Amino acid sequence: MRIADLKSRLAAAAGLFRVPADNPDLTRAQFDAFSKQVPLLYFILITNTLAVAYTYVPVAPFWLTVAVPGVLTALAALRTFWWLKQRHLVRSDADILRNLRATNWLTLPVGAGFTAWSFALFPYGDPFAKGQVAFYMAVTVIGCIFCLMHLRSAALIVTLIVDVPYVIYFFSTGEPTLKAIAVNNLLVSGAMVTVLFIYYRDFADLVSSRKSLIAQQAATQALSDENFRLANLDSLTELPNRRRFFAELSSAFGDAERRGIRLAVGIIDLDGFKPINDNYGHSVGDRVLIEAGRRIRDVCEGFAANRVAFTRLGGDEFGLVVCGDPTDEDLAELGRRIGERVKLPYQLDTAHTGLSCSIGFASYPNAATDAEALYECADYALYHAKRQMRGRTVIFSSELEAEIRSRGVIENLLRTSDFATEMDLVFQPIVDAMSERTSGFEVLSRWNSPRLGLVSPADFIPAAERIGLIRPLTQALLRALAAAKGWPDDIRVSFNLSAHDVCASDGILPLIAIINASGVSPRRIDFEITETAVTFDFVRAQQAIATLKAMGCGISLDDFGTGYSSLSHVHRLPLDKIKVDRSFVADVNENPVSHKIIKSLTGLCADMEIACVVEGVETRAQLDSLRRLGCDFIQGYYFAKPMPGHAIADYLTAEAKRLGEDVPHAAKIPA
């Protein structure tokens, strides 16, 4: 054990005189610090050597005063020049270690050379000159220790090479003063070595701490970068998210403004996505979103004409920032490519489903002069596409700008309008197809604005939905129940409900309260709900419809055939009637496709014991065809346009005469 301890201690002692190879960070730090101090070390060595040599020129041989110190100072000067060059070089860890080791062992001959020269010169001087040699050796070795502190092994070698012979030599002279100088130098050198060990330990700890700090900073930066990435990433599709979209828009807008070039914003909405969620579940819907996002991203990345930043804004909406001075033709081409890719079938386990997409574009500076307004213009272009050009690309234009102004006027006036006085109620008959006898009336609203005059329902009803006034408008519509109370008991009254009516957080309680207060039996009331309203929030709409059905109200699915999941709604909702959209009626006698569609729908209604109502009938030929196809009820201008309430009595009287009835409906209606 003692031999092993001795070997271990000897190995540890020997390690003090070597440059460590197991810590590249430490050796690099040593090299950087040492390279800055080596020139100072050689400056001390050269100036002190020249001073001593100059003193001994008159008394010592030429080779000791000129030749030897000349060689030694030349060597020191060359090393100084070499180290100065290292400051501008980038070296590998292996190269640094090799140079430090070379320097470490070079201190041995250099130190020995200067020491031997000093001892050889010493005997030639008088007491003052000899004292100068003693002072030279002591001061120089202390200066060297200071300058070599970053390279501990070299400092220790110099100390041993100089101080051990120094003490032995001056003690051997027997001169008390020189002995005192030797002891003094030994003690000071010992103190310097102690300081050296402490400094080197602290230096190594500082390097280690710095490495740890850099690692922590790198980890912190990596975490910050990851947090930034996640904050700007959509977790489902792994596309940039809404936050990233507006950051990209702000940056691109500033660049376009500085350079005076065009910039475009696009908003994409997937048409028919919500029914996929309702029919197949959210997991399938998520897969469709991911796949649609991947397809659009591929188109954007391959669109060489411009750089396109693509993001997911939320739900089934995606955003585009098109940079690089895009033209309207570029935008139309980009929209066409995206639309074609989105329309391709999507494999959903055992079934295929298809989507389309509507896209709205707006460009700077044509549409708007700030980023927020540019986005709003693109959003309106999308709204226009979904309303009138579903599945296509719309670029914001001056016509749409005028429409926005008009829409803004309508919205502002709606907010201050008095529905009770400005909304007129009109009634359109719903007629039994076989008997041609009126079975009910659909209640419609007409807005007579004091400022705008008569405003089309196609304009003010979407505006009321946008600004959250559609529910008060529906409730105002229900005041028609007061008129229906005086109608014959076999005549029904029908109202349209919007998505906001059937999907509101407080449900349909306000409607129920109005019905109960009207005195009209719920069994005489029909509510017409569009497929769009049903798909807005199917679960909540289903609950509202079930409540109305339980009261005894009839439920009709309006505009059938224009939505995306009609058959699924027919199966899953407690429907009493289906209203076939007027678009199939206009050419029922000329277009075999329309004829077959209506025939299929009437057959479906018959199989499911649901009444079939057809809208938009304007001619006798259309009526005859629809009767042959099995339609149950007819609604359209052929029988009557929407009429005010006071005209219903005359209408029913005329109908009774036309049908040859002895007791007309009108007799039961109070004047």
Side-chain angles (χ1 to χ4, degrees):
M1 289 293 294
R2 291 180 179 176
I3 296 176
D5 288 341
L6 181 60
K7 288 182 178 180
S8 177
R9 291 178 181 178
L10 289 174
L16 295 175
F17 298 94
R18 290 196 297 266
V19 179
D22 58 347
N23 192 341
D25 294 310
L26 178 59
T27 54
R28 182 171 289 276
Q30 286 177 296
F31 187 86
D32 291 340
F34 185 63
S35 63
K36 295 180 179 66
Q37 294 188 190
V38 164
L40 180 61
L41 180 149
Y42 283 118
F43 172 78
I44 294 172
L45 195 56
I46 291 172
T47 55
N48 287 353
T49 299
L50 293 177
V52 172
Y54 175 78
T55 302
Y56 274 84
V57 167
V59 297
F62 175 83
W63 66 275
L64 279 177
T65 57
V66 178
V68 173
V71 172
L72 292 175
T73 54
L75 177 62
L78 288 174
R79 291 294 294 171
T80 301
F81 178 74
W82 186 88
W83 277 105
L84 288 173
K85 288 175 57 179
Q86 307 310 303
R87 295 182 177 183
H88 308 293
L89 299 179
V90 178
R91 294 187 174 273
S92 65
D93 291 337
D95 196 22
I96 287 174
L97 180 61
R98 184 171 59 255
N99 279 284
L100 286 181
R101 284 179 171 175
T103 301
N104 191 58
W105 293 115
L106 190 60
T107 56
L108 183 62
V110 172
F114 278 97
T115 301
W117 173 73
S118 301
F119 289 151
L121 197 63
F122 182 80
Y124 292 95
D126 58 20
F128 292 105
K130 290 179 179 179
Q132 185 185 14
V133 172
F135 177 80
Y136 159 73
M137 295 183 70
V139 170
T140 302
V141 76
I142 291 172
C144 289
I145 292 173
F146 265 116
C147 293
L148 293 170
M149 274 190 167
H150 297 96
L151 191 59
R152 184 182 62 181
S153 56
L156 291 175
I157 291 173
V158 169
T159 303
L160 288 177
I161 292 299
V162 177
D163 278 356
V164 172
Y166 182 90
V167 173
I168 295 173
Y169 183 83
F170 284 112
F171 255 90
S172 66
T173 62
E175 174 62 43
T177 302
L178 295 179
K179 287 183 179 181
I181 292 175
V183 172
N184 182 48
N185 185 60
L186 182 64
L187 294 176
V188 172
S189 296
M192 291 299 301
V193 169
T194 302
V195 172
L196 171 67
F197 274 93
I198 295 172
Y199 178 83
Y200 185 81
R201 180 198 64 198
D202 293 343
F203 179 75
D205 290 344
L206 180 63
V207 172
S208 178
S209 299
R210 182 184 175 190
K211 179 182 178 182
S212 176
L213 179 61
I214 292 174
Q216 290 177 2
Q217 289 176 338
T220 302
Q221 185 62 43
L223 181 61
S224 176
D225 293 343
E226 180 64 12
N227 288 338
F228 179 81
R229 187 184 71 85
L230 293 176
N232 290 273
L233 186 73
D234 176 61
S235 58
L236 175 64
T237 61
E238 295 189 350
L239 294 169
N241 62 11
R242 187 180 187 88
R243 179 200 298 263
R244 184 63 182 171
F245 171 82
F246 285 104
E248 184 75 28
L249 173 57
S250 177
S251 174
F253 191 90
D255 181 64
E257 206 171 24
R258 285 190 302 271
R259 298 170 59 192
I261 61 175
R262 283 168 53 110
L263 169 75
V265 170
I267 305 177
I268 304 170
D269 185 89
L270 300 181
D271 300 322
F273 171 74
K274 190 167 181 55
I276 293 176
N277 260 346
D278 294 338
N279 297 335
Y280 298 101
H282 289 284
S283 62
V284 172
D286 288 347
R287 286 161 50 197
V288 170
L289 275 178
I290 293 170
E291 174 63 17
R294 184 191 65 78
R295 293 181 184 183
I296 300 173
R297 182 193 61 200
D298 290 345
V299 171
C300 293
E301 290 177 350
F303 193 68
N306 305 92
R307 184 180 73 83
V308 183
F310 174 55
T311 61
R312 183 191 178 198
L313 297 176
D316 60 347
E317 276 196 352
F318 299 89
L320 304 169
V321 178
V322 187
C323 307
D325 204 18
T327 64
D328 286 352
E329 291 74 18
D330 293 332
L331 300 179
E333 175 63 17
L334 178 60
R336 185 189 65 78
R337 293 186 190 181
I338 291 174
E340 288 178 353
R341 289 294 297 275
V342 170
K343 285 180 181 178
L344 297 176
Y346 295 77
Q347 179 69 42
L348 305 176
D349 296 331
T350 58
H352 290 273
T353 187
L355 287 177
S356 64
C357 68
S358 300
I359 307 175
F361 279 111
S363 62
Y364 163 84
N366 303 50
T369 55
D370 65 79
E372 184 177 351
L374 187 62
Y375 174 80
E376 294 297 331
C377 290
D379 190 50
Y380 189 77
L382 173 66
Y383 169 78
H384 183 80
K386 291 185 69 66
R387 187 180 60 175
Q388 298 185 13
M389 303 174 66
R390 183 176 290 269
R392 298 175 63 184
T393 297
V394 171
I395 300 175
F396 190 84
S397 62
S398 57
E399 290 79 9
L400 291 184
E401 186 175 4
E403 188 174 313
I404 284 181
R405 291 196 182 99
S406 174
R407 183 178 75 164
V409 171
I410 290 174
E411 290 175 355
N412 289 332
L413 291 176
L414 270 177
R415 290 188 178 96
T416 58
S417 66
D418 181 2
F419 290 166
T421 59
E422 295 181 24
M423 291 294 171
D424 296 329
L425 301 183
V426 294
F427 304 82
Q428 185 171 35
I430 300 173
V431 180
D432 184 287
M434 301 308 296
S435 66
E436 298 186 19
R437 185 173 180 269
T438 297
S439 65
F441 290 91
E442 180 181 357
V443 183
L444 305 169
S445 60
R446 296 292 183 266
W447 182 24
N448 190 1
S449 169
R451 178 175 169 183
L452 301 177
L454 289 175
V455 182
S456 169
D459 293 327
F460 76 79
I461 289 180
E465 289 181 332
R466 286 193 302 271
I467 63 176
L469 289 179
I470 192 64
R471 297 185 69 202
L473 182 59
T474 301
Q475 293 166 23
L477 206 65
L478 288 178
R479 75 177 188 266
L481 290 173
K485 188 177 180 179
W487 297 350
D489 292 341
D490 61 340
I491 293 185
R492 305 179 66 82
V493 58
S494 179
F495 301 93
N496 290 286
L497 295 183
S498 73
H500 298 275
D501 292 316
V502 296
C503 301
S505 58
D506 57 350
I508 54 170
L509 296 179
L511 302 184
I512 294 174
I514 294 173
I515 293 171
N516 290 335
S518 70
V520 176
S521 171
R523 299 189 179 280
R524 293 180 55 202
I525 301 173
D526 289 327
F527 286 106
E528 300 181 11
I529 304 170
T530 64
E531 291 186 83
T532 303
V534 171
T535 57
F536 186 80
D537 186 339
F538 184 81
V539 174
R540 186 167 283 177
Q542 191 178 35
Q543 294 171 348
I545 290 170
T547 302
L548 293 173
K549 184 72 174 177
M551 290 179 62
C553 299
I555 304 298
S556 301
L557 189 62
D558 200 7
D559 297 336
F560 188 76
T562 61
Y564 295 93
S565 54
S566 304
L567 293 179
S568 70
H569 295 153
V570 171
H571 285 285
R572 298 168 67 184
L573 296 174
L575 300 176
D576 298 289
K577 297 184 181 73
I578 285 178
K579 297 191 74 173
V580 179
D581 187 70
R582 66 180 66 246
S583 60
F584 300 110
V585 177
D587 58 352
V588 65
N589 291 319
E590 294 82 19
N591 190 343
V593 175
S594 297
H595 188 276
K596 290 178 181 179
I597 289 175
I598 294 178
K599 181 179 180 180
S600 299
L601 293 179
T602 56
L604 173 67
C605 291
D607 291 341
M608 300 191 65
E609 299 180 352
I610 297 175
C612 179
V613 183
V614 180
E615 300 178 286
V617 179
E618 298 183 358
T619 66
R620 184 70 198 186
Q622 291 173 345
L623 173 62
D624 292 339
S625 295
L626 294 173
R627 291 174 65 174
R628 287 193 298 270
L629 290 172
C631 296
D632 299 299
F633 297 96
I634 301 298
Q635 186 175 352
Y637 285 6
Y638 175 74
F639 288 102
K641 295 181 179 181
M643 64 189 73
H646 61 78
I648 291 178
D650 292 341
Y651 167 79
L652 292 178
T653 299
E655 178 183 85
K657 292 180 179 179
R658 176 172 56 82
L659 297 176
E661 294 182 350
D662 295 333
V663 183
H665 286 72
K668 300 182 181 181
I669 301 177

